[in-house]
Amino acid sequence: MAHLAWRLAQRWCPSSLQVISFPVVQLHLNRTAMRASQKDFENAMNQVKLLKKDPGNEVKLKLYSLYKQATEGPCNMPKPGVFDLINKAKWDAWNALGSLPKETARQNYVDLVSSLSSSLESSSQVEPGTDRKSTGYETLMVTSEDGITKIMLNRPTKKNALNVEMYHEIMHALKAASKDDSAITVLTGNGDYYSSGNDLTNFTDIPPGGVEEKAKNGAILLREFVGCFIDFPKPLIAVVNGPAVGISVTLLGLFDAVYASDRATFHTPFSHLGQSPEGCSSYTFPKIMSPAKATEMLVFGKKLTAGEACAQGLVTEVFPDSTFQKEVWTRLKAFAKLPPNAMRISKEIIRNREKEKLHAVNAEECSVLQGRWLSDECMNAVVNFLSRKSKL
Ligand SMILES: CCCCC/C=C/CC(=O)SCCNC(=O)CCNC(=O)[C@H](O)C(C)(C)COP(=O)(O)OP(=O)(O)OC[C@H]1O[C@@H](n2cnc3c(N)ncnc32)[C@H](O)[C@@H]1OP(=O)(O)O
């Protein structure tokens, strides 16, 4: 359908990119349909106007259909005649949304625009030849270039420890990446660390409901966060630029490939911290590396070198640090040129039969951790770190 619309655009329109123009998406605002996310929706419509680069007819059809669904509900127009090709393409796109609720359509519209804003950031602000950078993230740098969305953890002075804001931003970036036009998505770290894991100061900000409420909220957030990795639909690749600790290691079992610098280490000191495994590692690690090797890591906190992690199957390939970035990105750019739909479908076949199990494991791990966070063992470990008495 997109190809059809594109060919029509080239034949019929003086300015071919206008075939399904942005104003179509903006003009028919039905104010009665706007409730909870009215502001987000309006902002998104404004953002569409600011896009400098045409997102292509396929995306414009998506925007159009989501807009119509969000404001008018299921397709209520008579089907255009067979020769009215453009209106037929629009009708098909809208009709394909079936009975999708208005609120979901509105949310999908907002998410789609947000991913477009990341990947098609105004070219006037971008030096030629450099990455397009997303704005609005405090703890990440998100860029989209050469078919690759790169999510870079960006708290180098804190060794890329994951604070609460970063958990939320990573989820947002993953959701946007899952819908943008990139073929693959990469997670990496800025600075000398990939990530030092959970920010231990996350445990210090106690809400009025006390530590129990804190632990409960933490478990809810963690479950949602890990769920985003389980459900991520495109090839997801970790570029492990340096040492990785805790949750940044356990999540690797949910990635599709893991490339590591020979400077990287892999450390899950859960027992030392009075905690227990998360990121589905209690299930993925024994499968990847055998139950005994997983026990050495997850129970005894054995730190692996990149070479050891590769030998045990957690890491796909190790590169010398001096050539790491060059070699890995050359390879990733080649991967990103492969047909994206084929890659997505192949990932689905490889991963889908495990999804239900992974969600169940995630739920169980979060529930166990919720209890651990209230234990003396955990509280002492956190206090010791924060009072500078201990480091890994
Ligand atoms: C929603 C909740 C979900 C919870 C999910 C649970 C996950 C479990 C885990 O991830 S467990 C792993 C937790 N991580 C750690 O225990 C690591 C603690 N950090 C260290 O031991 C060390 O900092 C180090 C070994 C990673 C690095 O040591 P180094 O000497 O090289 O550097 P500094 O210690 O001086 O670190 C520089 C500054 O960064 C701060 N920092 C580093 N890591 C963390 C962290 N995980 N949490 C909070 N802060 C961290 C460190 O305090 C320094 O800050 P400063 O410059 O202000 O002093």
Side-chain angles (χ1 to χ4, degrees):
M1 184 173 64
H3 283 301
L4 179 62
W6 179 244
R7 283 210 310 273
L8 285 167
Q10 290 173 322
R11 265 185 60 197
W12 289 356
C13 295
S15 160
S16 64
L17 295 176
Q18 296 303 313
V19 62
I20 298 158
S21 63
F22 294 139
V24 171
V25 184
Q26 296 147 10
L27 279 178
H28 312 284
L29 189 60
N30 174 355
R31 298 202 167 268
T32 60
M34 294 183 293
R35 285 192 298 270
S37 56
Q38 175 184 356
K39 199 163 183 302
D40 290 344
F41 192 47
E42 279 178 355
N43 285 344
M45 286 188 287
N46 287 331
Q47 261 179 290
V48 168
K49 290 182 210 158
L50 297 174
L51 292 177
K52 292 271 166 46
K53 190 174 169 220
D54 191 280
N57 283 329
E58 190 169 5
V59 172
K60 283 192 278 186
L61 280 170
K62 251 191 223 168
L63 284 168
Y64 166 80
S65 59
L66 287 170
Y67 172 81
K68 295 292 274 182
Q69 191 86 5
T71 55
E72 296 179 33
C75 182
N76 54 11
M77 310 236 301
K79 189 172 180 174
V82 70
F83 296 113
D84 187 359
L85 293 173
I86 293 176
N87 282 321
K88 168 108 175 10
K90 288 159 73 178
W91 186 92
D92 283 340
W94 184 9
N95 192 49
L97 295 180
S99 57
L100 187 77
K102 282 182 174 181
E103 282 188 359
T104 312
R106 200 156 50 219
Q107 187 58 52
N108 291 354
Y109 180 92
V110 170
D111 289 344
L112 178 55
V113 173
S114 150
S115 70
L116 289 173
S117 303
S118 304
S119 64
L120 301 174
E121 184 84 339
S122 161
S123 52
S124 62
Q125 293 166 15
V126 176
E127 296 284 324
T130 62
D131 283 358
R132 286 184 287 266
K133 291 186 176 56
S134 70
T135 52
Y137 291 108
E138 286 295 319
T139 65
L140 305 177
M141 232 151 40
V142 182
T143 57
S144 211
E145 188 78 15
D146 297 324
I148 304 171
T149 291
K150 177 168 82 174
I151 302 172
M152 183 183 261
L153 309 177
N154 193 27
R155 298 182 73 215
T157 58
K158 297 289 178 186
K159 309 292 181 193
N160 297 323
L162 278 79
N163 62 8
V164 170
E165 188 174 19
M166 201 190 256
Y167 285 110
H168 284 289
E169 290 194 344
I170 293 172
M171 287 194 282
H172 186 276
L174 284 175
K175 281 176 191 158
S178 72
K179 295 186 197 113
D180 70 14
D181 58 2
S182 63
I184 63 176
T185 300
V186 171
L187 191 74
T188 190
N190 188 16
D192 60 342
Y193 260 65
Y194 175 66
S195 168
S196 63
N198 186 45
D199 189 315
L200 295 174
T201 65
N202 286 340
F203 292 109
T204 56
D205 172 25
I206 307 298
V211 284
E212 283 81 9
E213 188 186 328
K214 180 85 199 168
K216 188 171 152 220
N217 293 343
I220 292 170
L221 175 58
L222 180 61
R223 186 172 169 184
E224 194 190 348
F225 177 73
V226 174
C228 287
F229 286 83
I230 298 172
D231 289 331
F232 193 73
K234 298 177 182 179
L236 182 62
I237 292 146
V239 171
V240 186
N241 53 298
V245 184
I247 189 165
S248 71
V249 177
T250 56
L251 283 174
L252 296 175
L254 299 173
F255 280 68
D256 302 301
V258 178
Y259 296 124
S261 150
D262 60 6
R263 225 173 37 76
T265 52
F266 299 82
H267 194 190
T268 49
F270 298 129
S271 300
H272 300 68
L273 294 166
Q275 298 185 38
S276 51
E278 24 60 0
C280 294
S281 59
S282 63
Y283 179 70
T284 57
F285 278 29
K287 281 185 84 156
I288 291 169
M289 59 181 73
S290 89
K293 292 288 185 192
T295 299
E296 277 197 314
M297 279 194 85
L298 299 174
V299 180
F300 303 137
K302 181 179 177 192
K303 189 198 282 190
L304 301 190
T305 63
E308 287 166 341
C310 189
Q312 293 182 15
L314 182 62
V315 165
T316 315
E317 194 169 334
V318 182
F319 298 81
D321 193 56
S322 54
T323 56
F324 177 59
Q325 297 291 345
K326 190 161 179 271
E327 288 194 63
V328 166
W329 289 104
T330 304
R331 182 176 300 194
L332 293 176
K333 281 177 192 171
F335 289 168
K337 289 201 175 92
L338 295 168
N341 291 334
M343 288 199 284
R344 200 185 257 260
I345 286 165
S346 297
K347 168 167 180 168
E348 203 172 303
I349 293 178
I350 295 170
R351 294 273 171 182
N352 258 17
R353 65 181 72 88
E354 287 279 51
K355 256 190 187 177
E356 210 178 311
K357 175 74 184 169
L358 289 170
H359 280 296
V361 170
N362 182 26
E364 189 188 350
E365 288 178 347
C366 292
S367 153
V368 172
L369 251 182
Q370 186 177 334
R372 284 278 85 212
W373 288 330
L374 298 172
S375 70
D376 287 345
E377 289 178 343
C378 178
M379 287 187 196
N380 290 339
V382 172
V383 169
N384 283 341
F385 174 75
L386 296 176
S387 58
R388 316 260 164 221
K389 279 196 217 141
S390 77
K391 231 180 229 193
L392 294 174

